[in-house]
Each structure stands twice: as C-alpha cells, then as structure tokens.
Amino acid sequence: DNTRDAFISRFENGILVEMDFNSYHPRLIASLVGYDFGDDNVYEHLATYYANTPTPSKEEIEKAKEATFRQLYGGIQQQYLHIPFFEKTNNLAHYLWNKIQDEGHIESPISGRRLVISNYQDINCYVLFNYFIQMYETETNVIVLKNILEKSKDMQCVPVLYTYDSILFDLPETEFAKLTTEIIPQSIDMQKYPIKVKKGTTYKNLTLC
C-alpha cells in the first residue's frame, strides 16, 4: 500500500540499507546440531532429498522451502527423518523436550536464560523447540548488533529497524562501502550465516546490491 515509501533517510544524500540473513532459521538450527550446508542454497540442498535428484528444478526448490517451514514449525514428519538435517533437528527437539520434562527448564546456550515449563500452557515438543530457536535467534542478533555498533561508533550509520532475520540501517551514502565491506563482514560469521544486502532511498524501493 506504499506505506514504506514514508520511511526515508535522515541524512542529506542518505540511503537505507537492509542486511538480510539467508535461510536464517535452518542455518541457526544447523549451527546447533552440527550440520553444514556449506555454500549451498539451503532449500536447493534439501530439495535434492525431497525430490531425490542432484539437480532439482526451481519448482522443486520452492516446494522444498514450503515443506521445510512446515517441518520446522509443525514437527518433522516420519517420511522426512531420513534427511540428515531433519534427523538431527528432530533429535535436538526431543532432547530439549525430555530435558524440560525432567528438570523443569532448559537454558539458552548463549545467555543461560531459562525457559521454564510452568510458564506455558498446552506446550508440546515442537512449540518448545520454536521458542528455543526464537530465543537463540534473538540473542545471536543482539551479539551481531553489538559488534556492528562497536565497530561503527565513529560513523553516522544508525541501525533503525530489526525484524527477525534482517536489520535496516540509515546512513550517508558515503558510508555504504565501509558498512558492507568492512563493518558487517567483521561482525558476522558469514560462512555460517550468509547475507543479502539491499539499498534504496526509501524503505519501499530497496534493491539487491
């Protein structure tokens, strides 16, 4: 509805730059379970298993993306447990579920913050797993933002919006190269968590760089 056109840079000759994590939830989970997607496109990688072909089509890759989100958020179906990534993910989900049943809580591997079972109603294994991953994602992003803020303290660049798997920055265009080629690569393990960068004069017209 063109609402995003209202959001513009505060700087003269300024731009908005969005840093968008690529397939963030699957890659976060992979880091926890010891699975390596390498340089592969996550959904193309998984489509080779779904479609049982080394060269999946664009349609098969898109279907793999939809199917993957259903597994991660709704619980992994038996028919997909032969896929190594899903087998490891399922093992982690059940480990967390058994642990919270036995001890009454589970802890963040980053902050030690606890999710306590008595705080929840109608919780099940995969609802708990999603709470855990959302906590892990948020805390990971707090560290990323902390790193970026520390390394950009002498710049005018300002992070203005955080939405789960992306961060929006407002900056003079003269700082774009430093942000994208120095600050961000020094603040994130981009091998584990590759990103896409978009820029534009409004929040609506961001284009891929």
Side-chain angles (χ1 to χ4, degrees):
D1 63 0
N2 297 321
T3 301
R4 289 188 175 194
D5 261 338
F7 295 90
I8 63 173
S9 175
R10 73 196 66 193
F11 301 106
E12 185 176 355
N13 298 319
I15 56 173
L16 300 180
V17 174
E18 185 178 64
M19 181 191 80
D20 186 14
F21 288 103
N22 221 338
S23 311
Y24 200 26
H25 269 199
R27 288 188 180 276
L28 284 167
I29 294 167
S31 74
L32 288 168
V33 302
Y35 191 83
D36 186 9
F37 287 110
D39 296 329
D40 291 351
N41 174 294
V42 166
Y43 303 112
E44 183 174 356
H45 177 98
L46 293 172
T48 64
Y49 291 97
Y50 285 118
N52 194 29
T53 173
T55 55
S57 65
K58 288 183 179 180
E59 182 181 359
E60 287 169 332
I61 294 169
E62 189 59 36
K63 286 182 178 179
K65 182 176 182 178
E66 295 172 7
T68 297
F69 278 94
R70 284 198 300 271
Q71 304 314 303
L72 296 182
Y73 300 125
I76 297 172
Q77 297 174 316
Q78 186 72 30
Q79 71 195 79
Y80 298 122
L81 287 176
H82 71 284
I83 299 175
F85 172 68
F86 289 134
E87 179 186 15
K88 288 176 178 287
T89 299
N90 191 61
N91 289 343
L92 174 60
H94 283 88
Y95 167 79
L96 294 170
W97 180 245
N98 291 333
K99 188 175 179 65
I100 205 170
Q101 295 291 320
D102 292 340
E103 300 179 15
H105 68 271
I106 55 175
E107 294 184 354
S108 163
I110 296 176
S111 69
R113 179 187 176 193
R114 291 183 172 184
L115 300 181
V116 181
I117 195 169
S118 60
N119 290 335
Y120 305 103
Q121 295 180 347
D122 300 324
I123 196 169
N124 60 40
C125 177
Y126 264 86
V127 170
L128 175 68
F129 180 68
N130 278 281
Y131 288 161
F132 180 80
I133 295 303
Q134 288 167 21
M135 175 174 65
Y136 184 64
E137 173 190 48
T138 302
E139 292 183 356
T140 299
N141 288 342
V142 167
I143 293 171
V144 168
L145 275 167
K146 177 176 180 289
N147 290 340
I148 290 173
L149 286 168
E150 287 177 350
K151 295 179 187 304
S152 63
K153 60 186 177 182
D154 296 326
M155 300 168 62
Q156 295 183 72
C157 174
V158 184
V160 293
L161 181 65
Y162 157 58
T163 48
Y164 301 107
D165 61 354
S166 68
I167 302 170
L168 186 70
F169 299 90
D170 180 15
L171 60 153
E173 190 163 18
T174 54
E175 293 184 347
F176 175 74
K178 185 173 182 179
L179 175 67
T180 55
T181 64
E182 295 181 32
I183 305 298
I184 290 175
Q186 292 172 9
S187 302
I188 305 167
D189 184 345
M190 292 175 62
Q191 187 68 30
K192 286 171 64 175
Y193 305 121
I195 63 167
K196 293 181 291 187
V197 174
K198 300 177 183 177
K199 72 173 181 177
T201 55
T202 77
Y203 190 30
K204 180 188 176 186
N205 72 2
L206 301 176
T207 56
L208 193 62
C209 298

